[in-house]
Amino acid sequence: QRTRGVGVSSSCSSQHGVRMLPMLTLEAADELSRLVLKEASSFRPVSVAVVDPAGDIMICKRQDGCTRAILECAIAKAQSCVHLGMSTRVLRDKYAERGTQIGAMVQITNGQLAPFPGGVICRDASGNILGAVGVAGASGDEDEHCAIVAVNSM
């Protein structure tokens, strides 16, 4: 059964018509990653990571042709979402005029902060963080598109 509410999007609000997940189980994380890879089939090879609310990896997958660095970017995008409570697009936009500050934040986190599109946060109807999806390998817009489509398909 699908429910409406605060789901995932670049702004994480229900006004974008994004489906929400009632709970992020291992089965749901695996399905999200499968749907991301299906949606990405017309783009360059991508990697996908799904993390829980603590930022711990639930699932990560790398398509043929993706390097370890691309997988690390997907993980960093997903973890950035849950650690900061926003999508990576919102993170990028928030610090667009403060390059020194975001650079310092990336350095402090040992490169585990990804201030570019492709990471979307998953929330329940009450706004609680369920986890996040990070996609890397295509353009940032394409990465983000794949993550949003996957969540909407659940």
Side-chain angles (χ1 to χ4, degrees):
Q1 179 180 5
R2 292 184 180 182
T3 8
R4 281 252 191 246
V6 180
V8 298
S9 72
S10 57
S11 65
C12 303
S13 72
S14 61
Q15 66 185 344
H16 295 282
V18 179
R19 302 266 181 215
M20 63 156 229
L21 302 173
M23 183 177 174
L24 190 56
T25 62
L26 181 59
E27 182 181 4
D30 191 44
E31 180 66 5
L32 279 169
S33 67
R34 187 190 70 75
L35 292 166
V36 164
L37 297 178
K38 179 181 174 188
E39 184 64 24
S41 64
S42 62
F43 304 132
R44 292 189 315 237
V46 300
S47 290
V48 58
V50 181
V51 300
D52 67 13
D56 294 326
I57 299 167
M58 296 180 73
I59 293 284
C60 62
K61 296 181 180 178
R62 178 179 60 86
Q63 288 183 313
D64 294 342
C66 280
T67 65
R68 171 74 182 198
I70 292 171
L71 178 59
E72 293 295 332
C73 286
I75 294 167
K77 288 179 182 185
Q79 290 175 333
S80 296
C81 290
V82 296
H83 293 316
L84 298 175
M86 66 184 79
S87 76
T88 55
R89 177 180 297 279
V90 171
L91 173 63
R92 180 202 63 188
D93 294 348
K94 181 176 181 178
Y95 291 97
E97 308 263 330
R98 297 180 272 176
T100 304
Q101 185 175 359
I102 194 65
M105 291 169 68
V106 170
Q107 185 175 2
I108 289 166
T109 61
N110 294 318
Q112 291 302 301
L113 189 65
F116 34 87
V120 294
I121 196 162
C122 300
R123 296 181 184 269
D124 65 14
S126 300
N128 300 309
I129 295 173
L130 300 174
V133 180
V135 182
S139 73
D141 290 339
E142 292 166 340
D143 293 342
E144 181 182 62
H145 167 80
C146 293
I148 291 172
V149 167
V151 172
N152 278 335
S153 298
M154 294 291 289

